[in-house]
Amino acid sequence: RYNRKRKKVSMDPFILDLLINKREQREWKEIESTMRPVPAKYFNGEPVYEFFQNLDDSLEINLQPIALSVNPVNSFVPYHFHNYVEMIFPLKGNLSIMIENEQLDLHEGDIFIVGPNTVHKNLESNSDDVALNIALKSTAFTLNDLDFLHRNGSNSYLSELLFFTPTEKERNGIYTVFRTEEGDGLINAISNIIYEYYKRGDKQSNDIIRYELLILFAKLLRISSRSNSVESSKKTESNLLSFMLYIEKNYASITLEEMGEHFGFNPNYLSTYLKKQTGKSFIKLIHIQRINVAAEYLRHTNASIEQISLKVGYENPSYFYKIFRKLLGISPSEYRKQIGKNME
């Protein structure tokens, strides 16, 4: 266990005040009565909830691929899991998190990253604690971004954590804790992310936040080579990244047979391997990649939805509409309209 003497992070008072002003106390009973969440399962007699939508500090649904919120103060947070990656940064004070029966004690300057479908809950924090939450949807980064991290880091588990999705039937999920020090140079990137999200919010902010996160990840990879600085639940097989990158590059016309031939694997074996490692079928992975790209076109171009549908590999626009709504919860036109409002 990590017991080395720690230095406090030097967070800019202006940035810290931004977060404190967003911090609220939330009564779980009130949330239950208004949002009516239904337990997905139970753990040790406690309900476990699916949190499959990013929520902002006002508990409104946030469609952005990268969403920030401040950990509620003096508030009960139940066991839950989500279909996106979450990062938690205690920037003042401490925060304890339960991963099933294991308690992780996070201190000022630590960075906690938890993967999808990992059951966890935050223990109640007090008024002296300030923790930032960053939710990262599957559309937050391209696999080329993750390939950059994979190729430039001494370990591959960070890049794999950002897209690896264990199935809900798996007993243990995945997480990593980075025990950082003042000289690691992470505070500037974190401060810039907070500032761009809460104070700027213009058309360039999303790209700046994404690049700042990549800088942050690259620095975390540097930290990972230091002994006693990283606690990780498990690692995934590194060749999964090669498969995922091939899917990203060839998503519009890829077939399982062609992919199997490319890598020298029997198609049935490849299909079983992808399902086991990601929790998703080959077809589901293709749909996710196509819709991720389509969402980028909707955000950054004026191309018609029919053009975008054809571009990402759907000859039938109606089928494209169906898959888009199934994965993102709204239609392509509604998505473009909503994103346009958020970027005004």
Side-chain angles (χ1 to χ4, degrees):
R1 281 292 176 183
Y2 184 88
N3 55 14
R4 186 169 38 175
K5 186 177 180 181
R6 303 293 305 283
K7 291 183 179 180
K8 291 186 176 181
V9 295
S10 301
M11 177 62 65
D12 187 317
F14 171 76
I15 298 297
L16 196 58
D17 284 342
L18 274 180
L19 299 181
I20 291 174
N21 290 334
K22 294 290 183 180
R23 186 181 57 178
E24 296 181 5
Q25 180 176 352
R26 294 177 184 165
E27 295 293 339
W28 177 247
K29 290 184 178 180
E30 183 178 337
I31 294 174
E32 279 188 303
S33 64
T34 56
M35 302 184 72
R36 300 185 183 280
V38 177
K41 53 188 175 181
Y42 287 84
F43 175 73
N44 287 347
E46 294 188 45
V48 179
Y49 298 91
E50 294 178 346
F51 291 172
F52 278 16
Q53 295 282 2
N54 290 344
L55 301 179
D56 61 21
D57 293 298
S58 300
L59 297 182
E60 297 293 330
I61 293 176
N62 190 324
L63 296 176
Q64 296 294 335
I66 301 173
L68 274 63
S69 62
V70 185
N71 192 65
V73 63
N74 298 323
S75 302
F76 170 75
V77 178
Y79 274 116
H80 63 280
F81 62 96
H82 30 64
N83 59 353
Y84 51 83
V85 171
E86 182 180 28
M87 303 177 69
I88 300 179
F89 306 77
L91 299 176
K92 181 182 178 185
N94 307 298
L95 180 66
S96 293
I97 295 176
M98 294 295 298
I99 304 288
E100 295 192 347
N101 288 319
E102 179 183 7
Q103 179 171 324
L104 297 175
D105 296 319
L106 306 179
H107 306 288
E108 200 167 295
D110 291 339
I111 297 178
F112 172 72
I113 307 179
V114 60
N117 292 337
T118 301
V119 175
H120 64 288
K121 69 175 179 179
N122 299 4
L123 299 185
E124 189 171 313
S125 60
N126 61 49
S127 57
D128 294 326
D129 301 324
V130 179
L132 173 70
N133 302 325
I134 300 182
L136 304 174
K137 290 184 177 180
S138 57
T139 53
F141 302 102
T142 69
L143 288 170
N144 284 331
D145 292 334
L146 303 179
D147 184 44
F148 164 77
L149 297 176
H150 180 81
R151 287 183 287 104
N152 288 277
S154 58
N155 295 299
S156 64
Y157 65 85
L158 178 58
S159 58
E160 290 167 351
L161 172 64
L162 294 173
F163 72 85
F164 173 74
T165 305
T167 65
E168 295 178 29
K169 294 182 180 179
E170 290 193 67
R171 181 65 176 168
N172 299 310
I174 55 173
Y175 68 85
T176 300
V177 180
F178 293 88
R179 309 291 187 179
T180 72
E181 298 177 358
E182 189 174 27
D184 290 330
L186 304 177
I187 282 299
N188 284 342
I190 296 171
S191 296
N192 289 341
I193 291 167
I194 296 169
Y195 177 77
E196 289 294 333
Y197 190 86
Y198 285 115
K199 293 298 290 184
R200 297 292 295 181
D202 54 24
K203 292 183 178 180
Q204 287 73 42
S205 288
N206 287 340
D207 288 334
I208 293 173
I209 290 171
R210 172 171 158 261
Y211 292 134
E212 290 287 358
L213 279 169
L214 289 173
I215 291 171
L216 179 67
F217 293 146
K219 291 187 175 184
L220 291 178
L221 286 171
R222 176 192 291 166
I223 292 171
S224 69
S225 64
R226 191 170 64 213
S227 62
N228 298 324
S229 292
V230 180
E231 298 172 20
S232 185
S233 57
K234 68 178 185 179
K235 300 178 183 179
T236 62
E237 297 184 44
S238 59
N239 61 351
L240 175 61
L241 184 60
S242 298
F243 296 153
M244 299 298 288
L245 288 169
Y246 186 84
I247 290 174
E248 182 188 48
K249 182 178 180 180
N250 301 281
Y251 65 89
S253 59
I254 191 173
T255 68
L256 185 61
E257 289 72 20
E258 290 171 348
M259 185 173 173
E261 183 178 352
H262 177 82
F263 286 100
F265 286 111
N266 178 281
N268 291 334
Y269 170 83
L270 182 60
S271 176
T272 301
Y273 176 86
L274 289 171
K275 178 69 174 180
K276 179 180 178 181
Q277 294 297 324
T278 69
K280 299 178 178 66
S281 67
F282 172 77
I283 295 299
K284 181 69 176 291
L285 291 171
I286 300 302
H287 285 319
I288 289 174
Q289 181 59 29
R290 288 178 175 179
I291 297 306
N292 286 350
V293 175
E296 286 289 312
Y297 284 133
L298 289 168
R299 281 200 297 269
H300 300 298
T301 77
N302 293 319
S304 70
I305 294 175
E306 288 72 19
Q307 287 177 306
I308 293 173
S309 171
L310 188 61
K311 180 73 174 178
V312 300
Y314 295 106
E315 295 184 2
N316 185 339
S318 297
Y319 187 57
F320 168 66
Y321 269 79
K322 178 182 177 181
I323 298 299
F324 194 98
R325 181 180 288 277
K326 183 177 181 180
L327 291 181
L328 297 187
I330 58 176
S331 71
S333 56
E334 290 170 337
Y335 181 88
R336 173 175 269 172
K337 183 178 180 181
Q338 184 66 44
I339 289 296
K341 287 182 179 180
N342 292 338
M343 298 180 67
E344 288 178 355

